[in-house]
Amino acid sequence: VSTQSTGSEMQIDTPSEAQELKRRGNEAISKNNYSQAVKFYTEALLWSPNDSNLYSNRSLAYHKLNKQKESLQDADFAVQYNPNWNKAYFRKGTAHFYLHQYKESVEAFTKAKELDNTADKGIEESLSVAVFASEHSNELNQINPAHIRNMIFSITYNETLLKSKSFADNMMSKMCMKSKQTHTYMQILVINKSAKIIALQPPSVLNIDQLNLTNSPDYKMFESLKSGENNLIYIYVIIGKKGSTLEGKQQYSYSAWKDSKGLANLTSKPLSSYQETVLKIMSKILSNEGQANLFFPTPD
């Protein structure tokens, strides 16, 4: 969620002492000295206690100090003293978001958007991220809200790749487990620390001695897996057969890598909670689409 937004401040008759303290607070903000900014804004509020601009600015400073409850309290005061100001609701939405209160964040950002007359991209983007977080709040309850925007990038990238013809062709060339109602395809993928898929198949490791003598992409990939820079996962696609109650429907899931003697010397570190969360949400979104990859034929 962005912490920057445009918007018109309320013009009020502010004592000169408060104006000077506000200026010094703004200067402290520009130098990333947020504790000092809080001090100046607090002193300014003694001179101008109903100034929504001061509350909004102090809300931002508290947010930067990761004091989200205090940030929310000041955002509420900013709304109270200027209920038609989009930035006040933007501050409120940001504080709610970083308190994991995603539903309330959506409501505040929506109000900010309604009041905005500048087509502020910061509000639009923050609202979009908050909506995503609200829809997947159960999976995100242990995740730092600051990481959610990057998670969305990885999930969106992975979705596009897993909906591609190349992925479907690759999957269908591998082993398929058949039952009366479904076909289950399994493929090994390589992901990076952000859980972004970087390869649709693992490195070819047939002879480790020979591999170590080369500087091939497979060797570099092998080393990245060994170091933990990248990870291996299994991805599964279950497709309902024609005539079954699940006809054409696709279900996506994943599992962590398990060392296999059949793939000599391949290894992979355990997945992080961040990676697990990205993969869970990705699988849920794809499964909820029913038929996410249109290049998979419905099996007979």
Side-chain angles (χ1 to χ4, degrees):
V1 170
S2 170
T3 57
Q4 301 299 320
S5 174
T6 60
S8 299
E9 297 182 353
M10 177 179 281
Q11 300 301 315
I12 60 176
D13 186 14
T14 306
S16 59
E17 294 86 353
Q19 292 177 4
E20 173 59 19
L21 288 164
K22 178 185 177 183
R23 184 195 66 77
R24 295 169 70 181
N26 293 348
E27 183 179 5
I29 287 279
S30 70
K31 295 179 179 179
N32 300 328
N33 193 342
Y34 304 116
S35 295
Q36 193 69 18
V38 167
K39 176 178 178 294
F40 287 131
Y41 293 139
T42 300
E43 292 179 6
L45 282 163
L46 296 176
W47 292 94
S48 185
N50 299 336
D51 191 327
S52 59
N53 305 322
L54 291 173
Y55 282 113
S56 173
N57 289 2
R58 193 173 67 173
S59 175
L60 172 62
Y62 276 133
H63 166 70
K64 293 293 189 179
L65 291 169
N66 199 29
K67 295 184 176 181
Q68 306 304 339
K69 290 182 179 179
E70 290 87 346
S71 179
L72 177 59
Q73 184 177 46
D74 274 359
D76 282 334
F77 279 124
V79 168
Q80 177 182 335
Y81 292 119
N82 191 354
N84 295 315
W85 189 25
N86 66 320
K87 186 181 283 188
Y89 286 97
F90 182 84
R91 298 280 185 243
K92 183 178 175 71
T94 300
H96 277 305
F97 185 86
Y98 280 85
L99 287 168
H100 296 265
Q101 298 167 354
Y102 300 124
K103 180 180 177 182
E104 293 83 353
S105 179
V106 170
E107 292 172 353
F109 285 135
T110 299
K111 185 66 174 179
K113 182 179 177 181
E114 290 174 0
L115 293 172
D116 177 46
N117 57 8
T118 63
D120 188 340
K121 291 184 178 180
I123 294 175
E124 288 277 1
E125 292 175 1
S126 295
L127 176 57
S128 176
V129 174
V131 168
F132 174 90
S134 179
E135 291 173 347
H136 304 287
S137 57
N138 290 337
E139 292 86 358
L140 295 170
N141 58 2
Q142 299 299 318
I143 296 296
N144 184 337
H147 296 157
I148 293 177
R149 185 182 294 272
N150 288 335
M151 282 186 160
I152 294 174
F153 175 80
S154 292
I155 291 168
T156 302
Y157 178 90
N158 290 351
E159 283 185 75
T160 300
L161 186 60
L162 297 185
K163 290 179 179 181
S164 68
K165 186 177 187 299
S166 59
F167 173 72
D169 290 344
N170 202 305
M171 283 287 263
M172 288 187 292
S173 68
K174 301 297 188 292
M175 182 184 299
C176 173
M177 294 172 283
K178 301 179 181 179
S179 70
K180 289 183 178 181
Q181 293 205 54
T182 63
H183 281 191
T184 300
Y185 297 94
M186 185 273 288
Q187 174 66 13
I188 301 169
L189 306 179
V190 184
I191 62 172
N192 64 15
K193 289 183 178 180
S194 297
K196 178 183 174 183
I197 298 169
I198 60 173
L200 291 176
Q201 58 187 19
S204 300
V205 185
L206 300 177
N207 186 318
I208 191 63
D209 294 327
Q210 181 181 2
L211 185 62
N212 278 328
L213 295 176
T214 70
N215 194 30
S216 67
D218 277 345
Y219 175 69
K220 292 179 180 179
M221 182 67 74
F222 175 81
E223 287 296 304
S224 75
L225 293 169
K226 187 177 178 180
S227 69
E229 179 184 350
N230 296 319
N231 297 81
L232 294 172
I233 62 166
Y234 300 98
I235 191 79
Y236 305 92
V237 182
I238 303 174
I239 305 177
K241 294 172 64 175
K242 291 179 180 178
S244 73
T245 57
L246 301 172
E247 181 175 340
K249 293 182 179 178
Q250 300 171 10
Q251 289 292 313
Y252 290 74
S253 61
Y254 78 96
S255 67
W257 169 256
K258 297 178 182 177
D259 288 340
S260 171
K261 293 181 179 179
L263 294 169
N265 298 298
L266 272 182
T267 186
S268 181
K269 302 289 186 182
L271 297 175
S272 67
S273 59
Y274 181 102
Q275 291 170 313
E276 292 268 12
T277 301
V278 168
L279 296 170
K280 284 178 184 177
I281 295 175
M282 176 197 78
S283 299
K284 183 176 79 170
I285 291 173
L286 290 168
S287 296
N288 286 345
E289 289 188 21
Q291 194 173 7
N293 190 319
L294 299 178
F295 296 102
F296 276 113
T298 302
D300 294 324

